Amino acid sequence: AQSVTQPDIHITVSEGASLELRCNYSYGATPYLFWYVQSPGQGLQLLLKYFSGDTLVQGIKGFEAEFKRSQSSFNLRKPSVHWSDAAEYFCAVGPTGGSYIPTFGRGTSLIVHP
Amino acid sequence: NAGVTQTPKFQVLKTGQSMTLQCAQDMNHEYMSWYRQDPGMGLRLIHYSVGAGITDQGEVPNGYNVSRSTTEDFPLRLLSAAPSQTSVYFCASSSRDEQFFGPGTRLTVL
């Protein structure tokens, strides 16, 4: 069965510092990969996605992620974090069976210090 | 275009009560799903649907029922609420490219 591991429950960075959130997946074929962000009290919003092609994908809000098949990873990066980036971040892999419904990781909570 | 709507936003139930969480989408997506979110557990799939009349169980289906009579609506029923069902519930509507989430329902079972 497919699965997603986000090894870091919490990450703390200073505003202006760079950020990398880790995501490892287990999937039997070429996966669809996603990163979602959840601001406090809100639903989830798609940051970026990878289906095929260029392994470095750009998303909204200045985020990017790199698909590394050899490492089964899809890490999220941002060169300079803003205080408004404080949120919960979820990595997801799909599809699940015959449906376009991904499996989510447990999330990483990003704390940004001024 | 409202996207995915959920009602109610907040609900308090007593143990043993039943209720239905409503979810509707106006994007004509075939795939819809229900998740619960608990601290440290991420999003866990309860039930999902791949089209009207077709539903299937996810990771944590016990205590919940769903039906899909129309493309637009996908209600989640709690048959006999238990304190373990205290959670935030999210409905989502999916295309291949993306899942669109509703704003969530915060449910407390006393």
Side-chain angles (χ1 to χ4, degrees), chain A residues 32 34 36 38 42-44 46 49 51 90 98-102 104-106, chain B residues 31-32 35 37 40 42-43 48 50 90 94-99 101-102:
Chain A
Y32 297 167
F34 308 85
Y36 286 84
Q38 184 183 32
Q42 303 296 313
L44 278 73
L46 181 68
K49 61 198 174 194
F51 291 157
F90 293 94
S99 74
Y100 293 130
I101 295 174
F104 284 83
R106 292 195 173 190
Chain B
Y31 299 98
M32 296 185 73
Y35 296 87
Q37 184 178 26
L43 290 166
Y48 65 97
V50 299
F90 288 100
S94 304
S95 66
R96 183 200 75 152
D97 291 356
E98 184 173 351
Q99 280 199 304
F101 286 85

PDB file of all heavy atoms in Angstrom, chain A residues 32 34 36 38 42-44 46 49 51 90 98-102 104-106, chain B residues 31-32 35 37 40 42-43 48 50 90 94-99 101-102:
ATOM      1  N   TYR A  32       1.799  10.549  -8.472  1.00  0.00           N
ATOM      2  CA  TYR A  32       1.439  11.965  -8.485  1.00  0.00           C
ATOM      3  C   TYR A  32       1.787  12.472  -7.085  1.00  0.00           C
ATOM      4  O   TYR A  32       1.436  11.836  -6.089  1.00  0.00           O
ATOM      5  CB  TYR A  32      -0.044  12.179  -8.736  1.00  0.00           C
ATOM      6  CG  TYR A  32      -0.556  11.705 -10.066  1.00  0.00           C
ATOM      7  CD1 TYR A  32      -1.923  11.609 -10.298  1.00  0.00           C
ATOM      8  CD2 TYR A  32       0.297  11.358 -11.098  1.00  0.00           C
ATOM      9  CE1 TYR A  32      -2.433  11.186 -11.521  1.00  0.00           C
ATOM     10  CE2 TYR A  32      -0.201  10.924 -12.330  1.00  0.00           C
ATOM     11  CZ  TYR A  32      -1.561  10.837 -12.525  1.00  0.00           C
ATOM     12  OH  TYR A  32      -2.065  10.414 -13.731  1.00  0.00           O
ATOM     13  N   PHE A  34       1.968  15.851  -4.292  1.00  0.00           N
ATOM     14  CA  PHE A  34       1.361  17.145  -3.983  1.00  0.00           C
ATOM     15  C   PHE A  34       1.927  17.672  -2.664  1.00  0.00           C
ATOM     16  O   PHE A  34       2.285  16.917  -1.770  1.00  0.00           O
ATOM     17  CB  PHE A  34      -0.168  17.009  -3.807  1.00  0.00           C
ATOM     18  CG  PHE A  34      -0.882  16.317  -4.933  1.00  0.00           C
ATOM     19  CD1 PHE A  34      -0.980  14.940  -4.969  1.00  0.00           C
ATOM     20  CD2 PHE A  34      -1.482  17.049  -5.936  1.00  0.00           C
ATOM     21  CE1 PHE A  34      -1.648  14.300  -5.996  1.00  0.00           C
ATOM     22  CE2 PHE A  34      -2.159  16.420  -6.967  1.00  0.00           C
ATOM     23  CZ  PHE A  34      -2.243  15.042  -6.990  1.00  0.00           C
ATOM     24  N   TYR A  36       0.303  20.485   0.121  1.00  0.00           N
ATOM     25  CA  TYR A  36      -0.801  21.355   0.503  1.00  0.00           C
ATOM     26  C   TYR A  36      -0.398  22.135   1.752  1.00  0.00           C
ATOM     27  O   TYR A  36       0.379  21.670   2.580  1.00  0.00           O
ATOM     28  CB  TYR A  36      -2.059  20.549   0.819  1.00  0.00           C
ATOM     29  CG  TYR A  36      -2.773  19.986  -0.385  1.00  0.00           C
ATOM     30  CD1 TYR A  36      -2.365  18.782  -0.950  1.00  0.00           C
ATOM     31  CD2 TYR A  36      -3.851  20.655  -0.948  1.00  0.00           C
ATOM     32  CE1 TYR A  36      -3.021  18.266  -2.052  1.00  0.00           C
ATOM     33  CE2 TYR A  36      -4.520  20.139  -2.050  1.00  0.00           C
ATOM     34  CZ  TYR A  36      -4.100  18.945  -2.600  1.00  0.00           C
ATOM     35  OH  TYR A  36      -4.755  18.433  -3.691  1.00  0.00           O
ATOM     36  N   GLN A  38      -2.080  24.376   5.098  1.00  0.00           N
ATOM     37  CA  GLN A  38      -3.280  24.667   5.886  1.00  0.00           C
ATOM     38  C   GLN A  38      -2.961  25.756   6.891  1.00  0.00           C
ATOM     39  O   GLN A  38      -2.223  25.518   7.851  1.00  0.00           O
ATOM     40  CB  GLN A  38      -3.769  23.417   6.603  1.00  0.00           C
ATOM     41  CG  GLN A  38      -5.070  23.637   7.373  1.00  0.00           C
ATOM     42  CD  GLN A  38      -5.494  22.402   8.147  1.00  0.00           C
ATOM     43  OE1 GLN A  38      -4.673  21.625   8.609  1.00  0.00           O
ATOM     44  NE2 GLN A  38      -6.801  22.206   8.284  1.00  0.00           N
ATOM     45  N   GLN A  42      -8.256  26.952   8.805  1.00  0.00           N
ATOM     46  CA  GLN A  42      -8.670  26.959   7.395  1.00  0.00           C
ATOM     47  C   GLN A  42      -8.638  25.556   6.813  1.00  0.00           C
ATOM     48  O   GLN A  42      -8.134  24.612   7.426  1.00  0.00           O
ATOM     49  CB  GLN A  42      -7.735  27.859   6.580  1.00  0.00           C
ATOM     50  CG  GLN A  42      -7.640  29.279   7.076  1.00  0.00           C
ATOM     51  CD  GLN A  42      -8.955  30.017   6.965  1.00  0.00           C
ATOM     52  OE1 GLN A  42      -9.618  29.966   5.929  1.00  0.00           O
ATOM     53  NE2 GLN A  42      -9.353  30.689   8.035  1.00  0.00           N
ATOM     54  N   GLY A  43      -9.171  25.442   5.607  1.00  0.00           N
ATOM     55  CA  GLY A  43      -9.034  24.205   4.841  1.00  0.00           C
ATOM     56  C   GLY A  43      -7.672  24.144   4.181  1.00  0.00           C
ATOM     57  O   GLY A  43      -6.804  24.983   4.418  1.00  0.00           O
ATOM     58  N   LEU A  44      -7.461  23.145   3.350  1.00  0.00           N
ATOM     59  CA  LEU A  44      -6.173  22.952   2.702  1.00  0.00           C
ATOM     60  C   LEU A  44      -6.160  23.608   1.324  1.00  0.00           C
ATOM     61  O   LEU A  44      -7.154  23.588   0.598  1.00  0.00           O
ATOM     62  CB  LEU A  44      -5.867  21.460   2.539  1.00  0.00           C
ATOM     63  CG  LEU A  44      -5.289  20.757   3.751  1.00  0.00           C
ATOM     64  CD1 LEU A  44      -6.334  20.557   4.834  1.00  0.00           C
ATOM     65  CD2 LEU A  44      -4.680  19.420   3.342  1.00  0.00           C
ATOM     66  N   LEU A  46      -3.740  23.883  -2.303  1.00  0.00           N
ATOM     67  CA  LEU A  46      -2.650  23.284  -3.063  1.00  0.00           C
ATOM     68  C   LEU A  46      -1.516  24.277  -3.266  1.00  0.00           C
ATOM     69  O   LEU A  46      -1.730  25.397  -3.733  1.00  0.00           O
ATOM     70  CB  LEU A  46      -3.165  22.808  -4.425  1.00  0.00           C
ATOM     71  CG  LEU A  46      -2.141  22.140  -5.332  1.00  0.00           C
ATOM     72  CD1 LEU A  46      -1.713  20.796  -4.756  1.00  0.00           C
ATOM     73  CD2 LEU A  46      -2.707  21.960  -6.738  1.00  0.00           C
ATOM     74  N   LYS A  49       2.338  20.634  -7.422  1.00  0.00           N
ATOM     75  CA  LYS A  49       2.097  19.236  -7.740  1.00  0.00           C
ATOM     76  C   LYS A  49       3.115  18.762  -8.778  1.00  0.00           C
ATOM     77  O   LYS A  49       3.648  19.568  -9.553  1.00  0.00           O
ATOM     78  CB  LYS A  49       0.681  19.034  -8.281  1.00  0.00           C
ATOM     79  CG  LYS A  49       0.427  19.816  -9.572  1.00  0.00           C
ATOM     80  CD  LYS A  49      -1.053  19.968  -9.855  1.00  0.00           C
ATOM     81  CE  LYS A  49      -1.258  20.884 -11.060  1.00  0.00           C
ATOM     82  NZ  LYS A  49      -2.658  21.335 -11.181  1.00  0.00           N
ATOM     83  N   PHE A  51       3.436  15.594 -11.669  1.00  0.00           N
ATOM     84  CA  PHE A  51       2.878  14.428 -12.338  1.00  0.00           C
ATOM     85  C   PHE A  51       3.931  13.744 -13.204  1.00  0.00           C
ATOM     86  O   PHE A  51       4.041  12.524 -13.216  1.00  0.00           O
ATOM     87  CB  PHE A  51       1.687  14.824 -13.219  1.00  0.00           C
ATOM     88  CG  PHE A  51       0.477  15.267 -12.448  1.00  0.00           C
ATOM     89  CD1 PHE A  51      -0.476  16.078 -13.029  1.00  0.00           C
ATOM     90  CD2 PHE A  51       0.280  14.879 -11.137  1.00  0.00           C
ATOM     91  CE1 PHE A  51      -1.595  16.493 -12.318  1.00  0.00           C
ATOM     92  CE2 PHE A  51      -0.826  15.283 -10.413  1.00  0.00           C
ATOM     93  CZ  PHE A  51      -1.772  16.089 -11.012  1.00  0.00           C
ATOM     94  N   PHE A  90       1.269  19.641   4.306  1.00  0.00           N
ATOM     95  CA  PHE A  90       0.980  18.233   4.067  1.00  0.00           C
ATOM     96  C   PHE A  90       1.504  17.808   2.706  1.00  0.00           C
ATOM     97  O   PHE A  90       1.228  18.455   1.700  1.00  0.00           O
ATOM     98  CB  PHE A  90      -0.527  17.967   4.119  1.00  0.00           C
ATOM     99  CG  PHE A  90      -1.136  18.154   5.470  1.00  0.00           C
ATOM    100  CD1 PHE A  90      -1.716  19.361   5.833  1.00  0.00           C
ATOM    101  CD2 PHE A  90      -1.143  17.123   6.394  1.00  0.00           C
ATOM    102  CE1 PHE A  90      -2.276  19.544   7.079  1.00  0.00           C
ATOM    103  CE2 PHE A  90      -1.710  17.278   7.647  1.00  0.00           C
ATOM    104  CZ  PHE A  90      -2.277  18.495   7.991  1.00  0.00           C
ATOM    105  N   GLY A  98      -8.142   3.186  -8.130  1.00  0.00           N
ATOM    106  CA  GLY A  98      -8.625   3.745  -9.386  1.00  0.00           C
ATOM    107  C   GLY A  98      -9.147   5.153  -9.250  1.00  0.00           C
ATOM    108  O   GLY A  98      -9.772   5.669 -10.172  1.00  0.00           O
ATOM    109  N   SER A  99      -8.878   5.804  -8.120  1.00  0.00           N
ATOM    110  CA  SER A  99      -9.464   7.126  -7.908  1.00  0.00           C
ATOM    111  C   SER A  99      -8.383   8.178  -7.776  1.00  0.00           C
ATOM    112  O   SER A  99      -7.256   7.894  -7.390  1.00  0.00           O
ATOM    113  CB  SER A  99     -10.295   7.126  -6.619  1.00  0.00           C
ATOM    114  OG  SER A  99      -9.446   7.115  -5.491  1.00  0.00           O
ATOM    115  N   TYR A 100      -8.730   9.405  -8.093  1.00  0.00           N
ATOM    116  CA  TYR A 100      -7.803  10.526  -7.930  1.00  0.00           C
ATOM    117  C   TYR A 100      -7.889  11.066  -6.518  1.00  0.00           C
ATOM    118  O   TYR A 100      -8.097  12.259  -6.317  1.00  0.00           O
ATOM    119  CB  TYR A 100      -8.123  11.616  -8.945  1.00  0.00           C
ATOM    120  CG  TYR A 100      -7.862  11.210 -10.371  1.00  0.00           C
ATOM    121  CD1 TYR A 100      -8.833  11.396 -11.354  1.00  0.00           C
ATOM    122  CD2 TYR A 100      -6.655  10.637 -10.733  1.00  0.00           C
ATOM    123  CE1 TYR A 100      -8.582  11.029 -12.666  1.00  0.00           C
ATOM    124  CE2 TYR A 100      -6.408  10.267 -12.036  1.00  0.00           C
ATOM    125  CZ  TYR A 100      -7.374  10.460 -12.997  1.00  0.00           C
ATOM    126  OH  TYR A 100      -7.138  10.101 -14.292  1.00  0.00           O
ATOM    127  N   ILE A 101      -7.740  10.202  -5.545  1.00  0.00           N
ATOM    128  CA  ILE A 101      -7.802  10.628  -4.146  1.00  0.00           C
ATOM    129  C   ILE A 101      -6.493  10.240  -3.506  1.00  0.00           C
ATOM    130  O   ILE A 101      -6.201   9.059  -3.341  1.00  0.00           O
ATOM    131  CB  ILE A 101      -9.000   9.986  -3.431  1.00  0.00           C
ATOM    132  CG1 ILE A 101     -10.296  10.499  -4.056  1.00  0.00           C
ATOM    133  CG2 ILE A 101      -8.969  10.302  -1.939  1.00  0.00           C
ATOM    134  CD1 ILE A 101     -11.537   9.834  -3.530  1.00  0.00           C
ATOM    135  N   PRO A 102      -5.666  11.216  -3.134  1.00  0.00           N
ATOM    136  CA  PRO A 102      -4.323  10.905  -2.638  1.00  0.00           C
ATOM    137  C   PRO A 102      -4.316  10.460  -1.184  1.00  0.00           C
ATOM    138  O   PRO A 102      -5.296  10.634  -0.462  1.00  0.00           O
ATOM    139  CB  PRO A 102      -3.587  12.234  -2.798  1.00  0.00           C
ATOM    140  CG  PRO A 102      -4.648  13.264  -2.664  1.00  0.00           C
ATOM    141  CD  PRO A 102      -5.886  12.660  -3.247  1.00  0.00           C
ATOM    142  N   PHE A 104      -2.409  11.163   2.366  1.00  0.00           N
ATOM    143  CA  PHE A 104      -1.707  12.284   2.982  1.00  0.00           C
ATOM    144  C   PHE A 104      -0.731  11.820   4.053  1.00  0.00           C
ATOM    145  O   PHE A 104      -0.970  10.825   4.749  1.00  0.00           O
ATOM    146  CB  PHE A 104      -2.708  13.247   3.614  1.00  0.00           C
ATOM    147  CG  PHE A 104      -3.434  14.100   2.628  1.00  0.00           C
ATOM    148  CD1 PHE A 104      -4.554  13.619   1.972  1.00  0.00           C
ATOM    149  CD2 PHE A 104      -2.998  15.386   2.337  1.00  0.00           C
ATOM    150  CE1 PHE A 104      -5.230  14.399   1.042  1.00  0.00           C
ATOM    151  CE2 PHE A 104      -3.658  16.175   1.420  1.00  0.00           C
ATOM    152  CZ  PHE A 104      -4.780  15.683   0.774  1.00  0.00           C
ATOM    153  N   GLY A 105       0.345  12.590   4.206  1.00  0.00           N
ATOM    154  CA  GLY A 105       1.219  12.425   5.351  1.00  0.00           C
ATOM    155  C   GLY A 105       0.600  13.077   6.574  1.00  0.00           C
ATOM    156  O   GLY A 105      -0.473  13.681   6.500  1.00  0.00           O
ATOM    157  N   ARG A 106       1.307  12.957   7.709  1.00  0.00           N
ATOM    158  CA  ARG A 106       0.755  13.457   8.970  1.00  0.00           C
ATOM    159  C   ARG A 106       0.969  14.956   9.140  1.00  0.00           C
ATOM    160  O   ARG A 106       0.448  15.546  10.084  1.00  0.00           O
ATOM    161  CB  ARG A 106       1.372  12.709  10.137  1.00  0.00           C
ATOM    162  CG  ARG A 106       0.959  11.252  10.183  1.00  0.00           C
ATOM    163  CD  ARG A 106       1.277  10.612  11.506  1.00  0.00           C
ATOM    164  NE  ARG A 106       0.722   9.279  11.596  1.00  0.00           N
ATOM    165  CZ  ARG A 106       0.668   8.551  12.692  1.00  0.00           C
ATOM    166  NH1 ARG A 106       1.149   9.041  13.818  1.00  0.00           N
ATOM    167  NH2 ARG A 106       0.149   7.348  12.676  1.00  0.00           N
TER     168      ARG A 106
ATOM    169  N   TYR B  31     -15.107  12.655  -8.263  1.00  0.00           N
ATOM    170  CA  TYR B  31     -14.535  12.141  -7.016  1.00  0.00           C
ATOM    171  C   TYR B  31     -14.798  13.088  -5.861  1.00  0.00           C
ATOM    172  O   TYR B  31     -14.536  14.282  -5.947  1.00  0.00           O
ATOM    173  CB  TYR B  31     -13.023  11.955  -7.169  1.00  0.00           C
ATOM    174  CG  TYR B  31     -12.640  10.984  -8.246  1.00  0.00           C
ATOM    175  CD1 TYR B  31     -12.264  11.417  -9.508  1.00  0.00           C
ATOM    176  CD2 TYR B  31     -12.672   9.625  -7.989  1.00  0.00           C
ATOM    177  CE1 TYR B  31     -11.926  10.513 -10.495  1.00  0.00           C
ATOM    178  CE2 TYR B  31     -12.335   8.717  -8.973  1.00  0.00           C
ATOM    179  CZ  TYR B  31     -11.966   9.171 -10.223  1.00  0.00           C
ATOM    180  OH  TYR B  31     -11.639   8.278 -11.205  1.00  0.00           O
ATOM    181  N   MET B  32     -15.303  12.517  -4.775  1.00  0.00           N
ATOM    182  CA  MET B  32     -15.464  13.263  -3.530  1.00  0.00           C
ATOM    183  C   MET B  32     -15.034  12.389  -2.366  1.00  0.00           C
ATOM    184  O   MET B  32     -15.075  11.157  -2.456  1.00  0.00           O
ATOM    185  CB  MET B  32     -16.916  13.724  -3.348  1.00  0.00           C
ATOM    186  CG  MET B  32     -17.388  14.710  -4.406  1.00  0.00           C
ATOM    187  SD  MET B  32     -19.031  15.355  -4.094  1.00  0.00           S
ATOM    188  CE  MET B  32     -18.716  16.477  -2.710  1.00  0.00           C
ATOM    189  N   TYR B  35     -12.599  13.367   5.084  1.00  0.00           N
ATOM    190  CA  TYR B  35     -11.452  13.147   5.947  1.00  0.00           C
ATOM    191  C   TYR B  35     -11.777  13.631   7.356  1.00  0.00           C
ATOM    192  O   TYR B  35     -12.580  14.540   7.545  1.00  0.00           O
ATOM    193  CB  TYR B  35     -10.239  13.943   5.468  1.00  0.00           C
ATOM    194  CG  TYR B  35      -9.696  13.560   4.120  1.00  0.00           C
ATOM    195  CD1 TYR B  35     -10.211  14.124   2.955  1.00  0.00           C
ATOM    196  CD2 TYR B  35      -8.652  12.647   3.999  1.00  0.00           C
ATOM    197  CE1 TYR B  35      -9.697  13.779   1.713  1.00  0.00           C
ATOM    198  CE2 TYR B  35      -8.134  12.309   2.767  1.00  0.00           C
ATOM    199  CZ  TYR B  35      -8.654  12.876   1.632  1.00  0.00           C
ATOM    200  OH  TYR B  35      -8.150  12.536   0.401  1.00  0.00           O
ATOM    201  N   GLN B  37      -9.495  15.115  10.691  1.00  0.00           N
ATOM    202  CA  GLN B  37      -8.176  15.614  11.051  1.00  0.00           C
ATOM    203  C   GLN B  37      -8.080  15.694  12.560  1.00  0.00           C
ATOM    204  O   GLN B  37      -8.853  16.395  13.213  1.00  0.00           O
ATOM    205  CB  GLN B  37      -7.908  16.997  10.435  1.00  0.00           C
ATOM    206  CG  GLN B  37      -6.505  17.501  10.724  1.00  0.00           C
ATOM    207  CD  GLN B  37      -6.212  18.841  10.080  1.00  0.00           C
ATOM    208  OE1 GLN B  37      -7.098  19.632   9.815  1.00  0.00           O
ATOM    209  NE2 GLN B  37      -4.934  19.088   9.815  1.00  0.00           N
ATOM    210  N   GLY B  40      -1.666  15.564  15.201  1.00  0.00           N
ATOM    211  CA  GLY B  40      -0.596  14.582  15.034  1.00  0.00           C
ATOM    212  C   GLY B  40      -0.927  13.417  14.123  1.00  0.00           C
ATOM    213  O   GLY B  40      -0.072  12.556  13.904  1.00  0.00           O
ATOM    214  N   GLY B  42      -2.632  13.880  11.006  1.00  0.00           N
ATOM    215  CA  GLY B  42      -2.821  14.303   9.625  1.00  0.00           C
ATOM    216  C   GLY B  42      -4.271  14.146   9.194  1.00  0.00           C
ATOM    217  O   GLY B  42      -5.196  14.202  10.003  1.00  0.00           O
ATOM    218  N   LEU B  43      -4.452  13.908   7.917  1.00  0.00           N
ATOM    219  CA  LEU B  43      -5.782  13.695   7.354  1.00  0.00           C
ATOM    220  C   LEU B  43      -5.984  12.208   7.124  1.00  0.00           C
ATOM    221  O   LEU B  43      -5.198  11.582   6.421  1.00  0.00           O
ATOM    222  CB  LEU B  43      -5.918  14.431   6.025  1.00  0.00           C
ATOM    223  CG  LEU B  43      -5.970  15.949   6.093  1.00  0.00           C
ATOM    224  CD1 LEU B  43      -5.760  16.543   4.729  1.00  0.00           C
ATOM    225  CD2 LEU B  43      -7.299  16.406   6.658  1.00  0.00           C
ATOM    226  N   TYR B  48     -15.029   7.576   0.501  1.00  0.00           N
ATOM    227  CA  TYR B  48     -14.909   8.334  -0.720  1.00  0.00           C
ATOM    228  C   TYR B  48     -15.888   7.816  -1.763  1.00  0.00           C
ATOM    229  O   TYR B  48     -16.473   6.737  -1.602  1.00  0.00           O
ATOM    230  CB  TYR B  48     -13.483   8.327  -1.259  1.00  0.00           C
ATOM    231  CG  TYR B  48     -12.966   6.985  -1.710  1.00  0.00           C
ATOM    232  CD1 TYR B  48     -13.011   6.619  -3.049  1.00  0.00           C
ATOM    233  CD2 TYR B  48     -12.406   6.093  -0.806  1.00  0.00           C
ATOM    234  CE1 TYR B  48     -12.525   5.396  -3.469  1.00  0.00           C
ATOM    235  CE2 TYR B  48     -11.918   4.868  -1.206  1.00  0.00           C
ATOM    236  CZ  TYR B  48     -11.971   4.517  -2.539  1.00  0.00           C
ATOM    237  OH  TYR B  48     -11.487   3.305  -2.951  1.00  0.00           O
ATOM    238  N   VAL B  50     -16.488   7.663  -6.181  1.00  0.00           N
ATOM    239  CA  VAL B  50     -15.932   7.896  -7.506  1.00  0.00           C
ATOM    240  C   VAL B  50     -17.020   8.263  -8.509  1.00  0.00           C
ATOM    241  O   VAL B  50     -16.762   8.318  -9.709  1.00  0.00           O
ATOM    242  CB  VAL B  50     -15.115   6.679  -7.997  1.00  0.00           C
ATOM    243  CG1 VAL B  50     -13.944   6.428  -7.059  1.00  0.00           C
ATOM    244  CG2 VAL B  50     -15.987   5.442  -8.121  1.00  0.00           C
ATOM    245  N   PHE B  90     -13.278  17.279   7.085  1.00  0.00           N
ATOM    246  CA  PHE B  90     -13.141  17.985   5.818  1.00  0.00           C
ATOM    247  C   PHE B  90     -13.717  17.151   4.686  1.00  0.00           C
ATOM    248  O   PHE B  90     -13.446  15.946   4.584  1.00  0.00           O
ATOM    249  CB  PHE B  90     -11.678  18.285   5.503  1.00  0.00           C
ATOM    250  CG  PHE B  90     -11.075  19.349   6.364  1.00  0.00           C
ATOM    251  CD1 PHE B  90     -10.282  19.021   7.450  1.00  0.00           C
ATOM    252  CD2 PHE B  90     -11.311  20.687   6.087  1.00  0.00           C
ATOM    253  CE1 PHE B  90      -9.728  20.005   8.257  1.00  0.00           C
ATOM    254  CE2 PHE B  90     -10.758  21.683   6.890  1.00  0.00           C
ATOM    255  CZ  PHE B  90      -9.974  21.336   7.970  1.00  0.00           C
ATOM    256  N   SER B  94     -12.461  16.230  -6.062  1.00  0.00           N
ATOM    257  CA  SER B  94     -11.176  16.005  -6.729  1.00  0.00           C
ATOM    258  C   SER B  94     -11.284  15.934  -8.242  1.00  0.00           C
ATOM    259  O   SER B  94     -12.182  15.292  -8.788  1.00  0.00           O
ATOM    260  CB  SER B  94     -10.569  14.681  -6.264  1.00  0.00           C
ATOM    261  OG  SER B  94     -10.423  14.634  -4.884  1.00  0.00           O
ATOM    262  N   SER B  95     -10.298  16.565  -8.875  1.00  0.00           N
ATOM    263  CA  SER B  95      -9.963  16.255 -10.252  1.00  0.00           C
ATOM    264  C   SER B  95      -8.625  15.535 -10.221  1.00  0.00           C
ATOM    265  O   SER B  95      -8.055  15.318  -9.149  1.00  0.00           O
ATOM    266  CB  SER B  95      -9.857  17.535 -11.076  1.00  0.00           C
ATOM    267  OG  SER B  95      -8.739  18.301 -10.613  1.00  0.00           O
ATOM    268  N   ARG B  96      -8.075  15.181 -11.381  1.00  0.00           N
ATOM    269  CA  ARG B  96      -6.754  14.554 -11.382  1.00  0.00           C
ATOM    270  C   ARG B  96      -5.714  15.513 -10.824  1.00  0.00           C
ATOM    271  O   ARG B  96      -4.788  15.112 -10.131  1.00  0.00           O
ATOM    272  CB  ARG B  96      -6.351  14.150 -12.801  1.00  0.00           C
ATOM    273  CG  ARG B  96      -5.003  13.410 -12.837  1.00  0.00           C
ATOM    274  CD  ARG B  96      -4.366  13.437 -14.205  1.00  0.00           C
ATOM    275  NE  ARG B  96      -3.785  14.743 -14.498  1.00  0.00           N
ATOM    276  CZ  ARG B  96      -2.744  14.918 -15.309  1.00  0.00           C
ATOM    277  NH1 ARG B  96      -2.192  13.884 -15.896  1.00  0.00           N
ATOM    278  NH2 ARG B  96      -2.279  16.134 -15.556  1.00  0.00           N
ATOM    279  N   ASP B  97      -5.882  16.786 -11.131  1.00  0.00           N
ATOM    280  CA  ASP B  97      -4.833  17.761 -10.840  1.00  0.00           C
ATOM    281  C   ASP B  97      -4.840  18.253  -9.403  1.00  0.00           C
ATOM    282  O   ASP B  97      -3.823  18.770  -8.936  1.00  0.00           O
ATOM    283  CB  ASP B  97      -4.987  18.976 -11.754  1.00  0.00           C
ATOM    284  CG  ASP B  97      -4.662  18.639 -13.188  1.00  0.00           C
ATOM    285  OD1 ASP B  97      -4.252  17.491 -13.441  1.00  0.00           O
ATOM    286  OD2 ASP B  97      -4.819  19.517 -14.050  1.00  0.00           O
ATOM    287  N   GLU B  98      -5.969  18.147  -8.726  1.00  0.00           N
ATOM    288  CA  GLU B  98      -6.047  18.839  -7.441  1.00  0.00           C
ATOM    289  C   GLU B  98      -7.258  18.381  -6.657  1.00  0.00           C
ATOM    290  O   GLU B  98      -8.263  17.972  -7.223  1.00  0.00           O
ATOM    291  CB  GLU B  98      -6.163  20.350  -7.696  1.00  0.00           C
ATOM    292  CG  GLU B  98      -6.155  21.229  -6.474  1.00  0.00           C
ATOM    293  CD  GLU B  98      -6.110  22.699  -6.821  1.00  0.00           C
ATOM    294  OE1 GLU B  98      -5.915  23.042  -8.007  1.00  0.00           O
ATOM    295  OE2 GLU B  98      -6.255  23.531  -5.894  1.00  0.00           O
ATOM    296  N   GLN B  99      -7.129  18.465  -5.336  1.00  0.00           N
ATOM    297  CA  GLN B  99      -8.278  18.307  -4.453  1.00  0.00           C
ATOM    298  C   GLN B  99      -8.681  19.680  -3.934  1.00  0.00           C
ATOM    299  O   GLN B  99      -7.828  20.484  -3.552  1.00  0.00           O
ATOM    300  CB  GLN B  99      -7.938  17.407  -3.273  1.00  0.00           C
ATOM    301  CG  GLN B  99      -7.977  15.938  -3.609  1.00  0.00           C
ATOM    302  CD  GLN B  99      -8.087  15.093  -2.361  1.00  0.00           C
ATOM    303  OE1 GLN B  99      -7.269  15.200  -1.476  1.00  0.00           O
ATOM    304  NE2 GLN B  99      -9.097  14.247  -2.298  1.00  0.00           N
ATOM    305  N   PHE B 101     -10.796  21.528  -1.030  1.00  0.00           N
ATOM    306  CA  PHE B 101     -11.317  21.232   0.293  1.00  0.00           C
ATOM    307  C   PHE B 101     -12.355  22.255   0.731  1.00  0.00           C
ATOM    308  O   PHE B 101     -12.241  23.449   0.428  1.00  0.00           O
ATOM    309  CB  PHE B 101     -10.178  21.213   1.310  1.00  0.00           C
ATOM    310  CG  PHE B 101      -9.306  20.000   1.205  1.00  0.00           C
ATOM    311  CD1 PHE B 101      -8.254  19.957   0.305  1.00  0.00           C
ATOM    312  CD2 PHE B 101      -9.548  18.888   2.000  1.00  0.00           C
ATOM    313  CE1 PHE B 101      -7.452  18.830   0.196  1.00  0.00           C
ATOM    314  CE2 PHE B 101      -8.749  17.760   1.900  1.00  0.00           C
ATOM    315  CZ  PHE B 101      -7.713  17.733   0.989  1.00  0.00           C
ATOM    316  N   GLY B 102     -13.327  21.768   1.471  1.00  0.00           N
ATOM    317  CA  GLY B 102     -14.250  22.653   2.143  1.00  0.00           C
ATOM    318  C   GLY B 102     -13.608  23.268   3.365  1.00  0.00           C
ATOM    319  O   GLY B 102     -12.485  22.914   3.744  1.00  0.00           O
TER     320      GLY B 102
END
